[in-house]
Amino acid sequence: MIQDFLSFIRQNKLWNSDDRLLLAVSGGADSMALLHLCWKTSLSFEVGHVNYGFRGEESDLDQQVVESYCESRGIPFHCYRIPLHERIHLKARNLQ
């Protein structure tokens, strides 16, 4: 699977081996799988996570899962927590 993943990256010229990637990881199954594949390939990347706080404790748990995964593997982790006043404004709009 790792070789297929790397072949797909090369064939589609998604990034070069000397590029540094900021991988956005929500904590959901898809982004965690992508994070794991990137870690297994030894590609150069860091992880970014946005905690919108819309789901309360669940949002915090998502952040903890991603942060713990990164910490245990030495992957640089960056998190931005949306302040309450911004959340109120964002909730009225479609985040997609």
Side-chain angles (χ1 to χ4, degrees), residues 13-74:
K13 300 176 183 164
L14 298 178
W15 68 83
N16 298 316
S17 59
D18 58 339
D19 289 344
R20 186 147 180 94
L21 179 71
L22 178 62
L23 187 65
V25 180
S26 67
D30 292 347
S31 65
M32 290 302 292
L34 180 60
L35 170 57
H36 187 70
L37 281 170
C38 287
W39 176 69
K40 287 294 223 176
T41 63
S42 301
L43 292 168
S44 181
F45 70 97
E46 298 183 11
V47 169
H49 176 82
V50 178
N51 184 339
Y52 287 95
F54 287 145
R55 296 176 295 113
E57 192 174 307
E58 285 184 47
S59 294
D60 294 337
L61 289 173
D62 287 343
Q63 178 185 329
Q64 289 173 8
V65 165
V66 178
E67 190 169 6
S68 293
Y69 183 97
C70 292
E71 185 177 295
S72 68
R73 290 160 178 82

